[in-house]
Amino acid sequence: MNATQVLLAVVVAVEDPSQTHHWLLPETAEIIYGGLASLIIFGLLWRFAGPAARKGLSGRTARIQAELDAAAAARREADAEAARIRTALGNVGAERDRLLAEADRQCAEILAEGRRRADAEAAEAEARATAEAAAIRGRAGDELRAEIARLASAAAERIVLDTLDARRQAALIDDFADSVRRTAGAVS
Amino acid sequence: MSARAEAYATALFEVAAAEGKLATVEAELYRVASAIESDASLRSVLGDSGVELARRLKIVEKLLGDRAHNVTTQLLSLVVGTGRLRDLPGIVQRLVKRASDESGLVVAEIRSAVPLTPAQQETLVAALQRRAGRPLNVKTVVDRSLLGGVVATVGDEVIDDSVRTRLDQVKGLI
């Protein structure tokens, strides 16, 4: 039974005095009072509790919307961060490649420089050794010549001393006197 | 050094001249200076200030003794006592030069490897005197290092005919 049928039964019962009080339906007056009281209560509820309920609902809606917006913003930020990280990763890779290339270049330069220096040092050492060998040869030659001269002069001195007896000493003095006399004649 | 040697030579000259023994003292000092110059140990002892002066002077007296004039001994003692033995050759050289100039003579030193006989010395002096054109004050020195021959110094001129010099020339050529 819907509300219309109930209301109709209530009207019939009121209009028909023969009808006894129904086992289910309340008394007519009670229905009227009850109905009026219900309307008043509904009206009061609508008047006083309605705004608070609507405000609560709209606040919840706004909160949910704010949360949705924050979530969207967080997602955008996360996407941006992810993009940045991807970019950074890309940059890191490029930087790594650049550093590796630079290291290779420097390594090649150091090796080339090392080879050049080693070649130069080897050439210098060779030249030095050659010059030193020549100097040693020269020194050895000089020392040999000096030694020969020393031995020769020592031998000559020894021979001269052995031959310088009293007769030769006297002869040397006489030769000196003759020489002075001759030159005296030339000088005077 | 030369100024000091000159001062000492002047002092020795004045003393010897005042004593009237210039020629004797000059000749004796020359011989003593040559002897000291050629004897390293004697030179070392007489020139060593670490050796007591009295001892050094005693050596001088013993060295000269009666063989030299008293003035010569005193003058040598003066040089040794003042610690100027190192300058003795220069002092004596100046003294001889001054004494020779005083007498109008030219100093001539004849250095030979062996002692000269009187005949050799006479011959050499005559030859050198003829060459110099003036009378000479001759000093003879025996220098074994010459090995042979003679080196004569007349005034500023040196005539070197020693075996040592010839050997040195040969060594230079070698």
Side-chain angles (χ1 to χ4, degrees), chain B residues 92-122:
Chain B
V92 172
Q93 195 180 356
R94 283 167 175 76
L95 173 66
V96 170
K97 174 79 168 56
R98 184 153 184 189
S100 301
D101 289 346
E102 194 77 11
S103 310
L105 304 174
V106 177
V107 180
E109 183 191 78
I110 301 173
R111 195 172 282 265
S112 58
V114 292
L116 299 174
T117 62
Q120 285 171 331
Q121 187 168 336
E122 192 179 335

Side-chain angles (χ1 to χ4, degrees), chain B residues 53-70:
Chain B
L53 178 60
R55 191 179 160 205
R56 283 185 280 154
L57 295 178
K58 203 163 202 168
I59 292 171
V60 169
E61 280 181 28
K62 199 177 262 184
L63 182 69
L64 300 182
D66 297 333
R67 286 169 291 185
H69 194 274
N70 198 27

Side-chain angles (χ1 to χ4, degrees), chain A residues 1-9:
Chain A
M1 183 181 293
N2 58 26
T4 308
Q5 288 172 326
V6 170
L7 188 59
L8 188 60

